[in-house]
């Protein structure tokens, strides 16, 4: 009886069974024997109950003599299914095929041997049906592919899995993203891509060694996987870059919350080989199909958002907007110009007073860098410091500022200190102590009048080295202020070391703290109490309104810094105050804090009934906006504001002058993570595609509804004023 084995790659040399069928039939066992002798195939058979009834000699030899005891065992317990890594079309289970009596075609199985090892076989076989049509069992052959299989699976794993963390690797992520976007396009689903990048990972690697860096990455991978859970897929792109793929996610509120949790969690301290390390995290977010419909497009959008998150302030997240694309190229140019400015000594220092709110006496001035660029105008240090931090420029910049601040402070009354900002990169670099000593000596400023403002981000890498540096500088008499307290690693441990003389409560807790239901007053009170207990002074930063001043004073802040007392001033202005013996700063500002508004001047769209108007956005808050450009719009009118990029906001006109209207939003906007506001949801490019606009990521401007105006030639209800403004 012919067995009809199919040929497979491994047993090419096998005599073709079909041919033998036609030839005079040799004895069955002889054929089997001959084939086996050639070292080609192994044979097996089952009965109608799928139990193993026969294993040929070679098969027994392969598995060990004990394998004879397998006779009578259900085949599915002898041959186990294996998962093929990375296979495009995974094989059906053996049980399924046996049950369906379907042909076994190159089925790969694992065969546990009696000695506890595993062999991998590739099976071929088919059901044997007798003349009466009854199923008699399976007859099949097998090839041992163990050596090849082990190698191939390793290669497959290597190309799919990041060896260090066990997460998906760059290649797998790329394939997944492309496949997901293609599939989702058909079903009009959305998908978010997050780029997660560790801040100052290199420092940990450099100071604690590579094994510590590896361990840190493993722990990061665990935390990240725990947070994302079933919601998406986490992978490592390489280095300290991770990626999260989140299917069916387009709610930017939810995404922001998730990003925030990632930042918070990854910023908690790590225990590495008995030592502690702290790193920061930045996250960039892009959402398909809004920000990109192709994998490359979406990835570059998320990258740009990440870059922007890192630039604004490390330890935050940022959503992609199309403005970022322009900003990215701009900041590269800015780096060159900054270098130029530093060379030419074109950066100046401004001084902002820190005032005792009980007496209105100034106790200290904080030195803040100012850069006026011929082309760009005034550029904020919040913008150029991160650029300088990208390379060693920050060291030169920081040391120049330090020297100049010391020189300037010598000219002030002896009771007044100067506070200088020190970037973490500058602080941890060898030679910082020398730079401080040098600046003090060159200026003659007593060390006790110099205060260094440092953020929590110095507590990364080797904490012992950082501790030692603090101790050395404190021995000289220099004081330390912990800047931006509350924004960083939310770890209070290092406060106990007693490095700091002062805590600066971050502006984000102060601004708006008088609004009803705000928990910030409680946070401020708690920080003040903590600082007092540890013998530190507190400063409330960013106080702008009288009610905020009252609140921080009542909660016990020792000093206040903010526009309420003074904006940063030039050295000449400072000296003029002292010469006029006018060192008292009187608070002046609005009585109450107003809900944060961003003053803007941007052309947007406004839809009323079936007409589309151009208007100018003058300011924007979470709850409303002010627009100009239309005349005669009565209070109570329902309109839709088109903020561009698919952001539509249902609004009501709540107050109006002749050509300016205040709008109240039906649904509040959400923070975009970098100081602006955005809508939670956007209209999908899929719905636009349905309306005949080609599928593409949402573009800039009042797109896409501006197109709509051409189609709607109805008579407008309101008078469109000429929008003539600079920059439009
Ligand atoms: P910072 O150290 O938190 O400095 C306080 C910032 O808050 C300053 O911004 C100051 O002008 C601003 N500010 C003070 N009071 C108010 C207020 O009432 N309302 C508002 N809205 N803002 C207020 P500035 O000068 O733009 O500096 C931004 C950041 O740049 C600084 O934040 C600091 O981190 C960095 N920076 C400035 N100068 C230096 C420097 O010499 N070295 C380093 N490493 N960083 C610097
Ligand atoms: Ca500061
Ligand atoms: Ca600050």
């Amino acid at each position: 009886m012919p067995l009809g084995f199919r040929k497979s790659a491994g047993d090419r040399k096998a005599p073709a069974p079909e041919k033998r069928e036609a030839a005079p039939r040799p004895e069955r066992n002889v054929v089997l024997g001959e084939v086996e002798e050639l070292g080609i195939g192994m044979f097996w058979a089952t009965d109608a109950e799928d139990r193993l009834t026969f294993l040929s000699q070679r098969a027994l030899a392969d598995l060990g003599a004990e394998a004879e005891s397998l006779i009578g065992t259900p085949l599915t317990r002898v041959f186990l299914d294996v998962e093929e890594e990375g296979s495009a079309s995974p094989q059906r289970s053996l049980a399924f095929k046996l049950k369906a009596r379907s042909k076994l075609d190159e089925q790969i199985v694992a065969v546990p041997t009696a000695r506890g090892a595993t062999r991998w076989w590739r099976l071929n076989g088919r059901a044997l049906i007798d003349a009466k049509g009854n199923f008699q069992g399976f007859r099949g052959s097998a090839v041992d592919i163990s050596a090849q299989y082990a190698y191939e699976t390793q290669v497959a794993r290597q190309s799919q899995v990041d060896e260090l963390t066990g997460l998906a690797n760059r290649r797998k992520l790329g394939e997944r993203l492309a496949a997901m976007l293609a599939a989702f396009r058909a079903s009009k689903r959305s998908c978010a891509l997050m780029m997660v990048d560790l801040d100052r990972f290199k420092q940990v690697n450099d100071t604690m060694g590579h094994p510590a860096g590896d361990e840190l990455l493993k722990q990061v991978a665990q935390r990240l996987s725990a947070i994302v859970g079933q919601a998406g897929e986490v992978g490592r792109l390489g280095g300290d870059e991770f990626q999260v793929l989140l299917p069916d996610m387009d709610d930017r509120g939810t995404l922001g919350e998730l990003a925030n949790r990632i930042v918070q969690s990854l910023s908690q301290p790590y225990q590495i080989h008995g030592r502690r390390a702290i790193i920061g995290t930045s996250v960039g977010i892009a959402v398909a199909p809004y920000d990109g419909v192709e994998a490359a497009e979406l990835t570059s959008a998320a990258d740009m958002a990440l870059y922007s998150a890192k630039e604004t302030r490390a330890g935050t997240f940022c959503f992609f907007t199309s403005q970022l694309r322009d900003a990215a190229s701009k900041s590269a140019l800015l780096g060159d110009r900054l270098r130029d400015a530093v060379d030419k000594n074109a950066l100046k220092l401004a001084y902002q007073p820190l005032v005792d709110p009980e007496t209105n006496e100034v106790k200290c001035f904080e030195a803040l860098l100012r850069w006026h660029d011929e082309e760009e105008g005034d550029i904020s240090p919040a913008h150029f410091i991160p650029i300088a931090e990208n390379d060693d420029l920050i060291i030169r910049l920081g040391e120049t500022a330090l020297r100049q601040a010391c020189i300037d402070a010598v000219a002030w009354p002896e009771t007044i200190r100067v506070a200088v900002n020190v970037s973490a990169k500058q602080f941890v670099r060898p030679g910082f102590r020398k730079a401080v000593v040098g600046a003090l000596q060159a200026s003659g400023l007593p060390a006790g009048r110099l205060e260094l403002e440092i953020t929590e981000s110095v507590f990364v890498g080797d904490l012992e080295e950082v501790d030692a540096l603090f101790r050395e500088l404190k021995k000289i008499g220099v004081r330390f202020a912990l800047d931006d307290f509350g924004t960083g690693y939310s770890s209070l441990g290092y406060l106990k070391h007693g490095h700091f003389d002062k805590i600066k409560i971050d502006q984000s807790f102060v601004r708006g703290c008088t609004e009803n239901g705000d928990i910030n007053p409680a946070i401020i009170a708690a920080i003040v109490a903590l600082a007092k207990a540890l013998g530190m002074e507190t400063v409330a930063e960013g106080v702008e309104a009288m009610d905020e001043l009252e609140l921080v004073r009542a909660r016990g802040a020792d000093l206040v810094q903010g526009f309420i007392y003074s904006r940063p001033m030039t050295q000449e202005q400072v000296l003029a105050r002292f010469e006029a013996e006018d060192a008292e700063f009187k608070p002046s500002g609005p009585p109450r804090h107003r809900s944060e508004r961003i003053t803007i001047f941007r052309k947007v769209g406004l839809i009323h009934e079936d007409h589309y108007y151009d208007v100018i956005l003058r300011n924007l808050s979470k709850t409303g906006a002010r627009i100009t450009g239309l005349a005669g719009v009565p209070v109570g009118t329902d309109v839709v504001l088109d903020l561009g990029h698919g952001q539509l906001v249902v609004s009501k006109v709540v107050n109006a002058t002749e050509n300016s209207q205040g709008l109240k939003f039906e649904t509040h906007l959400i923070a975009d993570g970098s100081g602006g506001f955005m809508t939670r949801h956007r209209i999908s490019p899929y719905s636009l595609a349905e309306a005949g606009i080609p599928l593409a990521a949402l573009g800039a401007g009042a797109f896409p509804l501006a197109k709509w105006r051409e189609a709607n030639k109805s008579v407008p209800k309101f008078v469109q004023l000429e929008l003539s403004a600079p920059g439009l």
Side-chain angles (χ1 to χ4, degrees):
M1 179 193 57
L3 291 171
F5 295 123
R6 281 185 73 250
K7 280 206 285 183
S8 65
D11 44 14
R12 281 265 144 76
K13 283 178 266 151
E18 285 82 2
K19 277 195 189 138
R20 286 195 172 243
E21 216 173 326
R25 250 178 238 186
E27 231 277 271
R28 170 176 170 241
N29 279 335
V30 176
V31 178
L32 283 180
E34 278 171 11
V35 174
E36 283 198 276
E37 215 90 315
L38 291 168
I40 298 156
M42 303 180 286
F43 305 108
W44 53 271
T46 61
D47 61 18
E49 271 79 45
D50 292 330
R51 284 184 302 241
L52 187 68
T53 53
F54 171 71
L55 276 176
S56 65
Q57 283 308 313
R58 247 200 105 70
L60 287 172
D62 196 57
L63 298 179
E66 304 92 318
E68 269 205 82
S69 65
L70 292 173
I71 303 297
T73 312
L75 196 70
T76 49
R77 282 211 251 132
V78 180
F79 298 157
L80 309 180
D81 285 309
V82 295
E83 282 270 346
E84 281 182 276
E85 291 253 8
S87 162
S89 49
Q91 58 179 13
R92 285 272 176 118
S93 75
L94 182 65
F96 174 87
K97 287 186 177 169
L98 294 179
K99 215 164 150 197
R101 313 271 182 251
S102 55
K103 207 162 58 178
L104 299 182
D105 191 3
E106 315 274 356
Q107 184 90 10
I108 296 171
V109 293
V111 199
T113 71
R115 280 159 281 158
T118 303
R119 309 296 299 171
W120 279 274
W121 285 9
R122 188 171 56 219
L123 306 182
N124 282 300
R126 65 174 198 191
L128 182 69
I129 312 288
D130 68 13
K132 293 195 189 124
N134 296 320
F135 171 61
Q136 299 289 317
F138 269 82
R139 301 289 180 269
S141 68
V143 180
D144 188 322
I145 54 158
S146 297
Q148 184 193 351
Y149 185 78
Y151 171 72
E152 275 175 5
T153 46
Q154 200 203 347
V155 170
R157 272 185 69 82
Q158 270 171 355
S159 62
Q160 296 286 323
V161 176
D162 173 52
E163 291 275 309
L164 182 67
T165 60
L167 297 177
N169 66 7
R170 179 184 290 273
R171 184 167 138 190
K172 181 165 181 194
L173 285 168
E175 285 168 4
R176 277 302 253 273
L177 179 63
M180 200 180 276
L181 288 177
F184 280 23
R185 195 173 310 168
S187 47
K188 304 200 166 106
R189 288 159 67 185
S190 65
C191 141
L193 180 65
M194 279 189 187
M195 295 286 182
V196 179
D197 189 289
L198 308 182
D199 299 323
R200 299 173 305 273
F201 169 72
K202 190 176 172 297
Q203 218 161 301
V204 174
N205 232 352
D206 290 351
T207 59
M208 296 175 73
H210 286 266
D214 283 356
E215 175 58 28
L216 181 72
L217 291 174
K218 280 191 215 164
Q219 293 189 24
V220 166
Q222 282 160 9
R223 290 187 192 182
L224 206 49
S225 303
I227 296 171
V228 174
Q230 298 302 307
E233 176 155 11
V234 179
R236 174 169 170 243
L237 294 175
D240 59 354
E241 271 182 69
F242 294 81
Q243 195 178 66
V244 184
L245 212 56
L246 298 150
D248 299 308
M249 272 271 212
D250 64 354
D251 180 332
R252 292 193 281 180
T254 309
L255 281 166
E257 282 156 23
L258 180 63
N260 209 11
R261 262 187 291 141
I262 290 176
V263 170
Q264 295 297 326
S265 159
L266 298 192
S267 304
Q268 298 300 316
Y270 295 80
Q271 278 296 335
I272 294 168
H273 307 145
R275 285 158 81 190
R276 244 161 59 98
I278 307 179
I279 50 164
T281 308
S282 307
V283 180
I285 311 163
V287 188
Y290 311 90
D291 305 323
V293 287
E294 303 290 342
E297 201 183 4
L298 196 67
T299 306
S300 118
D303 263 338
M304 248 174 265
L306 173 67
Y307 186 83
S308 155
K310 278 187 157 319
E311 210 181 36
T312 37
R313 181 189 268 180
T316 181
F317 64 90
C318 182
F319 284 92
F320 173 79
T321 64
S322 60
Q323 287 98 311
L324 287 181
R325 216 163 252 145
D326 316 331
S329 54
K330 222 173 171 181
S331 94
L333 291 176
L334 216 56
D336 293 338
R337 289 236 282 285
L338 179 60
R339 189 172 304 281
D340 235 38
V342 174
D343 286 341
K344 290 192 194 125
N345 222 348
L347 270 61
K348 301 275 174 281
L349 283 176
Y351 295 98
Q352 188 178 29
L354 281 72
V355 180
D356 178 344
E358 299 299 334
T359 62
N360 289 341
E361 260 180 290
V362 57
K363 299 284 178 190
C364 178
F365 284 94
E366 176 177 5
L368 295 160
L369 276 168
R370 292 292 173 261
W371 176 24
H372 181 83
D373 180 76
E374 307 250 298
E375 272 173 52
E376 296 287 325
D378 290 328
I379 300 171
S380 161
H383 192 162
F384 70 76
I385 293 288
I387 297 178
E389 278 177 338
N390 282 337
D391 59 40
D392 282 353
L393 196 55
I394 188 65
I395 313 278
R396 279 174 59 206
L397 200 62
E399 291 185 358
T400 315
L402 180 65
R403 271 197 306 275
Q404 187 61 46
C406 289
I407 291 168
D408 287 348
V410 170
W412 308 340
E414 275 167 17
T415 52
I416 294 175
R417 296 195 180 97
V418 64
V420 180
N421 289 288
V422 178
S423 144
K425 286 217 172 116
Q426 189 189 349
F427 186 75
V428 298
R429 164 190 167 269
F432 180 67
R433 196 191 80 98
K434 237 174 100 190
V436 174
V437 172
L440 289 172
Q441 278 171 354
S443 61
L445 186 76
R449 285 181 62 196
L450 175 63
E451 210 161 72
L452 300 177
E453 292 199 358
I454 302 211
T455 62
E456 290 157 283
S457 58
V458 295
F459 297 101
V460 301
D462 194 329
L463 298 178
E464 278 154 38
E465 252 177 52
V466 171
D467 266 6
L469 181 55
F470 268 109
R471 276 198 300 274
E472 279 179 51
L473 286 165
K474 286 196 76 74
K475 225 192 291 169
I476 304 171
V478 172
R479 291 165 47 102
F480 284 97
L482 180 55
D483 207 353
D484 303 341
F485 183 74
T487 58
Y489 306 105
S490 39
S491 157
L492 303 174
Y494 49 79
L495 286 179
K496 288 186 301 213
H497 294 283
H499 298 320
F500 294 101
D501 305 280
K502 195 185 255 182
I503 290 185
K504 302 190 79 175
I505 305 169
D506 190 68
Q507 315 200 357
S508 55
F509 296 107
V510 175
R511 196 109 12 97
C513 64
T514 51
E515 272 169 11
N516 282 343
D518 201 305
I519 59 152
N520 286 341
I523 295 176
I524 294 171
I527 298 176
V528 170
L530 172 79
K532 289 229 155 69
L534 295 169
M536 290 179 280
E537 274 185 310
T538 44
V539 184
E541 281 193 276
V543 177
E544 290 182 356
M546 294 306 268
D547 63 343
E548 290 168 350
L549 176 64
E550 196 37 59
L551 189 141
V552 298
R553 182 165 56 187
R555 305 285 151 147
D558 299 302
L559 295 171
V560 166
Q561 177 181 4
F563 295 172
I564 191 85
Y565 279 113
S566 171
R567 290 184 181 254
M569 41 210 278
T570 63
Q571 166 76 348
E572 290 70 38
Q573 288 168 328
V574 173
L575 291 178
R577 296 285 297 243
F578 289 131
E579 267 155 38
E581 296 194 5
D582 175 22
E584 210 185 282
F585 283 82
K586 289 192 187 57
S588 96
R592 259 184 309 281
H593 168 82
R594 286 158 54 100
S595 168
E596 193 170 343
R597 274 169 203 285
I598 302 169
T599 311
I600 8 189
F601 205 88
R602 179 154 72 86
K603 196 166 142 185
V604 298
L606 187 108
I607 304 154
H608 175 251
E609 291 178 352
D610 55 1
H611 204 82
Y612 193 96
Y613 303 88
D614 293 326
V615 296
I616 290 175
L617 190 62
R618 300 311 298 264
N619 67 41
L620 182 67
S621 76
K622 259 185 199 178
T623 54
R626 174 151 291 275
I627 52 164
T628 55
L630 286 186
V633 186
V635 168
T637 308
D638 291 313
V639 296
V640 175
L641 195 63
D642 178 5
L643 293 175
H645 309 105
Q647 306 184 93
L648 296 186
V649 196
V650 177
S651 319
K652 198 183 255 326
V653 177
V654 287
N655 61 62
T657 62
E658 180 46 33
N659 57 11
S660 153
Q661 294 80 30
L663 304 182
K664 188 168 183 284
F665 300 153
E666 188 180 274
T667 309
H668 291 187
L669 302 184
I670 56 172
D672 68 1
S674 48
F677 299 115
M678 62 187 186
T679 58
R680 209 173 241 278
H681 300 283
R682 292 173 277 179
I683 45 164
S684 163
Y686 293 137
S687 2
L688 297 172
E690 267 167 12
I693 299 168
L695 182 65
L698 295 173
F703 178 87
L705 291 180
K707 286 188 183 282
W708 196 64
R709 104 176 324 164
E710 276 100 74
N712 284 277
K713 298 273 187 226
S714 59
V715 181
K717 283 257 168 61
F718 310 131
V719 180
Q720 174 86 62
L721 304 171
E722 178 114 20
L723 301 183
S724 56
L728 281 184

